[in-house]
Amino acid sequence: MITINRVAKVVKGGRRFSFTALVAVGDGAGKVGLGYGKAKEVPSAIQKGIEEAKKNLFAVPLAGSTITHPIMGKRGAGKVMLKPAAPGTGVIAGGAARAILEAAGIHDILAKSLGSSNAINVARATLSGLHELKSPDDVARLRGLSPEEVAPAGVLRAWRERQRGPFEPTEVA
């Protein structure tokens, strides 16, 4: 749940109120989605938002508990700068960006909203930035190089460890 807003429609007999809900849904392991629901009552608006968010889920390339590279997400008047952070840093973000990053399962990141402070614009800009992230393997393929030439060793190691999964055995030297 990111924000709930009461909106009014002025009609002949007075005002008709309805509610909107901006909702982030994620599995805490690299998948996240955003939904926007509108209804006459708050619980219905939240439910509609959750259903839309589940339809819009996508995978975020992660290196350990952070993102793979710095990026600027832009959407409408919203701009959000996202930077990877060292393990133990935590989620340094505010409002809508924090909710989305936590839902995605990102534990170490620096984020700053530079444009609009509107929750919807900030949320969509954050998602735009996460959507544009590329894995070290994708960047290497685009440049025609090896992943070792493109990404720092620590990022590459964290990326590969994340891809391997928690239950597969690791090599012991």
Side-chain angles (χ1 to χ4, degrees):
M1 171 81 333
I2 297 172
T3 185
I4 295 175
N5 190 23
R6 187 180 78 171
V7 293
K9 177 183 180 182
V10 179
V11 295
K12 188 177 175 183
R15 292 188 185 99
R16 293 259 168 91
F17 294 106
S18 64
F19 297 89
T20 63
L22 187 64
V23 182
V25 171
D27 65 354
K31 284 193 175 180
V32 69
L34 183 71
Y36 190 65
K38 186 175 177 182
K40 298 281 184 204
E41 293 156 5
V42 175
S44 303
I46 293 170
Q47 189 59 40
K48 286 182 180 181
I50 290 171
E51 287 170 13
E52 185 182 328
K54 286 180 181 177
K55 291 178 191 172
N56 297 327
L57 281 173
F58 68 94
V60 178
L62 299 177
S65 62
T66 190
I67 57 177
T68 53
H69 58 85
I71 195 145
M72 178 78 79
K74 296 176 191 151
R75 189 69 179 269
K79 287 184 199 164
V80 176
M81 176 191 66
L82 302 170
K83 280 187 173 180
T89 303
V91 178
I92 311 296
R98 172 180 284 274
I100 290 171
L101 296 169
E102 287 177 348
I106 299 171
H107 302 295
D108 302 303
I109 191 166
L110 304 170
K112 178 68 182 160
S113 174
L114 301 170
S116 169
S117 60
N118 181 315
I120 298 169
N121 286 337
V122 171
R124 289 182 176 163
T126 304
L127 272 189
S128 171
L130 293 176
H131 217 55
E132 292 172 19
L133 284 172
K134 290 188 176 16
S135 70
D137 296 335
D138 292 342
V139 174
R141 197 175 314 109
L142 288 170
R143 296 182 187 177
L145 301 170
S146 71
E148 288 77 17
E149 294 174 293
V150 174
V155 171
L156 202 56
R157 185 172 45 253
W159 163 254
R160 290 199 173 130
E161 193 174 297
R162 186 92 175 181
Q163 294 303 82
R164 188 170 38 244
F167 302 110
E168 292 183 27
T170 57
E171 293 179 29
V172 179

